Amino acid sequence: MRTGGLFLMHSLSSPSSAASLNLKEGTNWWWDVNESPVWQDRIFHLLAVLYAVVSVIAVIQLVRIQLRVPEYGWTTQKVFHFLNFLVNGVFVFRRDAQNMQPEILQHILLDIPSLAFFTTYALLVLFWAEIYYQARAVSTDGLRPSFFTTNALVYVVQIVLWLVLWWKPVHVTIIISKMFFAGVSLFAALGFLLYGGRLFLMLQRFPVESKGRRKKLQEVGYVTSICFTCFLIRCIMMCFNAFDDAADLDVLDHPILNFIYYLLVEILPSSLVLFILRKLPPKRGITQYHPIQ
């Protein structure tokens, strides 16, 4: 009976032990991959290839638009695709940037793509705001100055943070810089929600039988949802990154986490938006299509 009781107790405790063992093995696997130089190289190169593909798609679309409407200069749509090409293309040099000395150069070179990513998609918000106000016969004269002022303010604040970090590289300054990026991402998310939502509701009031209305409604709805979610996730992750070293957005130190992060907040959103906005502008009778002054 004693032997049987011991056997029964072992049997009852074995599932818990097995679960603990599996959890430990899973945790070990995660850290083994993170600490492996081979896996760090593989994941970085995979991300670099994915970014390069998105960059090539953006520049192909830019060329297609230029061939379709060569008589127009740098329109909002062209600039949007050109910035997508640059933002996604520079990821290939991220590893070199992370090894730069002095350290302030690392912060500058790693922050610039994030700033450019904000500007790229803020341009899309501007484009939709212009369409919305023009459709309502409201003057759009103040939109572009507001766009440039907002971007200039973001860049000036970031430059000040870089100078402070260079003058006195304390941890608090790094936290403030990351929280600033979180705030910028939240601002972009709210911009998509505001103007994308307004444009979506306006299109809903158009005649149901309008084919163009249905396509534009789907386009605005999809892009608004994608970009709002993308920038909201970016905001949340930057907040974690500011206070938790385990959430550091460093591809070399946290390859698995960063693969998921960059896939969700940059590669997939950029790919989907480029696919949804793949339609070329008409050759004649163009409205809502103005060069940037």
Side-chain angles (χ1 to χ4, degrees), residues 15-31:
S16 176
S17 301
S20 300
L21 183 61
N22 290 335
L23 180 61
K24 185 177 180 180
E25 289 178 352
T27 306
N28 288 339
W29 172 83
W30 177 278
W31 287 112

Side-chain angles (χ1 to χ4, degrees), residues 55 57-59 61-62 65 76-86 120 123 273-274 277-279:
S55 181
I57 293 173
V59 77
Q61 185 67 357
L62 174 62
I65 295 171
T76 305
Q77 194 176 12
K78 289 179 183 178
V79 173
F80 174 74
H81 286 88
F82 178 71
L83 288 177
N84 261 298
F85 161 69
L86 289 181
T120 302
L123 197 62
V273 169
L274 289 173
L277 302 180
R278 67 190 183 281
K279 183 180 178 182

Side-chain angles (χ1 to χ4, degrees), residues 62-82:
L62 174 62
V63 172
R64 291 178 68 215
I65 295 171
Q66 178 61 27
L67 293 176
R68 172 61 67 92
V69 283
E71 64 274 15
Y72 285 84
W74 281 101
T75 62
T76 305
Q77 194 176 12
K78 289 179 183 178
V79 173
F80 174 74
H81 286 88
F82 178 71

Side-chain angles (χ1 to χ4, degrees), residues 181-210:
F181 268 113
V184 168
S185 298
L186 181 61
F187 181 75
L190 294 177
F192 275 104
L193 193 62
L194 176 63
Y195 287 107
R198 282 181 172 182
L199 190 57
F200 183 84
L201 293 175
M202 184 185 72
L203 290 171
Q204 275 190 322
R205 294 193 290 269
F206 281 22
V208 178
E209 63 275 6
S210 172

Side-chain angles (χ1 to χ4, degrees), residues 1-233:
M1 289 295 291
R2 182 178 177 84
T3 305
L6 290 173
F7 176 76
L8 179 61
M9 290 176 63
H10 178 73
S11 299
L12 291 174
S13 64
S14 58
S16 176
S17 301
S20 300
L21 183 61
N22 290 335
L23 180 61
K24 185 177 180 180
E25 289 178 352
T27 306
N28 288 339
W29 172 83
W30 177 278
W31 287 112
D32 287 344
V33 172
N34 277 338
E35 298 298 328
S36 169
V38 175
W39 276 104
Q40 289 176 3
D41 288 343
R42 288 175 179 174
I43 291 179
F44 174 80
H45 291 147
L46 177 58
L47 282 172
V49 168
L50 293 175
Y51 273 103
V53 169
V54 177
S55 181
V56 170
I57 293 173
V59 77
I60 289 174
Q61 185 67 357
L62 174 62
V63 172
R64 291 178 68 215
I65 295 171
Q66 178 61 27
L67 293 176
R68 172 61 67 92
V69 283
E71 64 274 15
Y72 285 84
W74 281 101
T75 62
T76 305
Q77 194 176 12
K78 289 179 183 178
V79 173
F80 174 74
H81 286 88
F82 178 71
L83 288 177
N84 261 298
F85 161 69
L86 289 181
V87 169
N88 289 282
V90 297
F91 185 87
V92 178
F93 306 102
R94 184 182 178 92
R95 174 170 287 183
D96 296 329
Q98 289 180 216
N99 296 324
M100 284 282 187
Q101 293 297 331
E103 190 174 348
I104 185 60
L105 280 179
Q106 297 179 27
H107 292 288
I108 294 174
L109 294 175
L110 294 178
D111 289 344
I112 285 177
S114 296
L115 291 171
F117 188 82
F118 165 76
T119 300
T120 302
Y121 284 86
L123 197 62
L124 185 56
V125 174
L126 170 67
F127 185 60
W128 282 356
E130 287 180 332
I131 294 175
Y132 173 76
Y133 284 123
Q134 286 175 357
R136 295 176 63 87
V138 177
S139 174
T140 61
D141 292 343
L143 288 177
R144 290 179 183 269
S146 298
F147 169 80
F148 290 120
T149 301
T150 300
N151 276 271
L153 183 62
V154 168
Y155 281 80
V156 167
V157 171
Q158 185 57 59
I159 290 171
V160 170
L161 288 173
W162 286 335
L163 291 174
V164 172
L165 190 60
W166 175 60
W167 172 61
K168 196 170 184 180
V170 294
H171 187 62
V172 175
T173 310
I174 297 176
I175 292 176
I176 294 173
S177 180
K178 292 178 179 179
M179 290 304 297
F180 173 70
F181 268 113
V184 168
S185 298
L186 181 61
F187 181 75
L190 294 177
F192 275 104
L193 193 62
L194 176 63
Y195 287 107
R198 282 181 172 182
L199 190 57
F200 183 84
L201 293 175
M202 184 185 72
L203 290 171
Q204 275 190 322
R205 294 193 290 269
F206 281 22
V208 178
E209 63 275 6
S210 172
K211 183 178 179 182
R213 174 260 189 191
R214 288 197 304 271
K215 287 186 175 180
K216 196 67 179 178
L217 189 66
Q218 291 176 349
E219 175 184 303
V220 172
Y222 289 148
V223 174
T224 298
S225 301
I226 291 167
C227 293
F228 172 76
T229 304
C230 153
F231 280 100
L232 187 61
I233 294 174

